[in-house]
Amino acid sequence: MNLRQLEILRAVIRHRTTVAAADDLALSQPAISNALKAMEAQAGFALFERVNNRLFPTTEAMALYRESEAIFALHAKLDNRVRDLRECRSGHLSIVATPPVAYSIIPPALSGFLRRRPQTRMFFDVRRYEGIIEGVLSRVAELGFALGLSHHPGIAHEVVHSGEMVCVLPPNHPLAEQPVVSAADLVGVPFIGLERGTRLGEAVRDSFAQAGAPFQPTVEVRYCNTACVLAAAGVGAAVVDPFSPSQGGSRDLIVRPFAPKTLAVAYMLWSEAEPLSRLAKAFLDEVRQASLLLGREAS
């Protein structure tokens, strides 16, 4: 017997009439009757006994019914799996991000994404820029997110958010009343600089050079988040990406635009070696939405 024949057999056993079984399976009553005759001829024994226009399964038919339970349970499981894959409701996705993006755009995107897909499992790691590139190229992560980007063969990218570097100041700082803080304003005051050789650190140094202002940090740190913590503690002013000042929630920081304008562009990255999974594409859509919301809040 094939799967369709077993399905008809089970429907007739449940409903006890060919008319009700036909309605259940969206078939005609003659089609059900003909199928039963063909099954009995094929099996070589009776499957039903007719009593008062109702069909009662024989012992042999009930044995087939019970034996087929596992088949239809497996079929239902497979059907649900196909539906989950089609709607991107289950699976496994690995992503990596640099700290500014990891603590700003990714959390709200991840929250909405997983809320609608409770069967999905995620791997999420926070790394330096070099680790993002390595993770994507090695396929340890299907998606990467980073501030700034150089050309890397084999890496596809899309801008997810574009902003400008800002100046963060301790409470009651002498520069806090200025609507815009320039590189020249930061000369001669305690200043927290970003590490040389980092993408944002070099961008800030270039901005100081463009303004003709010497870059003389009192303290150098690797991450913008660290600079914000130190600024809030009164160590000095800092120039950081636009995402980091809002991380941590309770920080007492003054945030001002920085001049000259210094771009801070967030990218999403993936390998060109293989097509993105449907799950990855769905998460990218979620990140795009989170980025739009972040842009509206900033304006």
Side-chain angles (χ1 to χ4, degrees):
M1 286 187 183
N2 59 40
L3 195 62
R4 187 57 167 169
Q5 288 176 316
L6 284 173
E7 189 176 28
I8 291 171
L9 173 68
R10 292 169 61 82
V12 176
I13 289 176
R14 287 197 305 271
H15 297 289
R16 301 300 169 96
T17 70
T18 55
V19 173
D23 288 340
D24 187 16
L25 299 178
L27 294 173
S28 67
Q29 188 274 336
I32 296 292
S33 296
N34 291 334
L36 289 181
K37 291 176 183 177
M39 279 187 277
E40 289 183 328
Q42 182 180 339
F45 51 79
L47 295 172
F48 293 92
E49 295 179 358
R50 185 177 294 276
V51 179
N52 297 327
N53 293 323
R54 293 181 66 83
L55 296 174
F56 290 86
T58 63
T59 302
E60 292 79 8
M62 288 305 300
L64 291 175
Y65 185 92
R66 287 189 290 269
E67 289 292 335
S68 66
E69 284 285 1
I71 297 174
F72 281 86
L74 183 61
H75 183 268
K77 182 178 179 181
L78 181 61
D79 202 38
N80 289 334
R81 178 62 173 155
V82 171
R83 188 181 304 110
D84 286 344
L85 290 172
R86 182 175 63 245
E87 299 174 5
C88 301
R89 294 192 305 189
S90 67
H92 184 272
L93 181 63
S94 297
I95 63 175
V96 288
T98 55
V101 187
Y103 302 137
S104 56
I105 300 175
I106 299 299
L110 199 58
S111 176
F113 183 76
L114 293 177
R115 186 169 57 251
R116 287 182 286 276
R117 299 168 180 83
Q119 301 305 313
T120 297
R121 296 293 174 264
M122 299 286 295
F123 171 80
F124 177 29
D125 194 14
V126 181
R127 303 181 177 185
R128 297 185 65 180
Y129 176 83
E130 295 79 8
I132 304 302
I133 301 302
E134 179 186 351
V136 170
L137 286 175
S138 65
R139 300 292 289 173
V140 168
E142 190 169 3
L143 297 173
F145 300 86
L147 279 183
L149 180 68
S150 297
H151 175 69
H152 295 277
I155 294 243
H157 65 273
E158 176 185 329
V159 173
V160 64
H161 193 85
S162 185
E164 297 174 1
M165 301 288 279
V166 297
C167 181
V168 292
L169 306 161
N172 304 316
H173 193 279
L175 299 175
E177 299 302 318
Q178 296 188 190
V180 177
V181 176
S182 69
D185 294 330
L186 296 172
V187 176
V189 301
F191 180 63
I192 305 157
L194 300 178
E195 183 182 24
R196 181 183 296 277
T198 62
R199 310 184 69 73
L200 295 184
E202 293 301 320
V204 174
R205 282 170 171 78
D206 290 345
S207 296
F208 271 70
Q210 178 186 336
F215 186 80
Q216 299 172 325
T218 310
V219 181
E220 282 194 43
V221 298
R222 175 172 296 175
Y223 298 118
C224 290
N225 188 56
T226 308
C228 290
V229 171
L230 296 182
V235 174
V239 177
V240 299
D241 68 82
F243 308 112
S244 294
S246 61
Q247 297 162 19
S250 61
R251 287 185 190 142
D252 194 6
L253 278 175
I254 307 297
V255 182
R256 295 288 180 264
F258 172 70
K261 289 184 177 180
T262 306
L263 288 179
V265 182
Y267 293 86
M268 3 193 222
L269 318 171
W270 60 92
S271 172
E272 293 179 331
E274 297 180 28
L276 286 176
S277 65
R278 288 172 56 83
L279 203 60
K281 291 178 181 177
F283 186 68
L284 288 184
D285 285 339
E286 201 81 44
V287 172
R288 292 183 187 104
Q289 293 302 314
S291 174
L292 289 175
L293 182 60
L294 189 66
R296 285 196 291 267
E297 290 175 348
S299 61

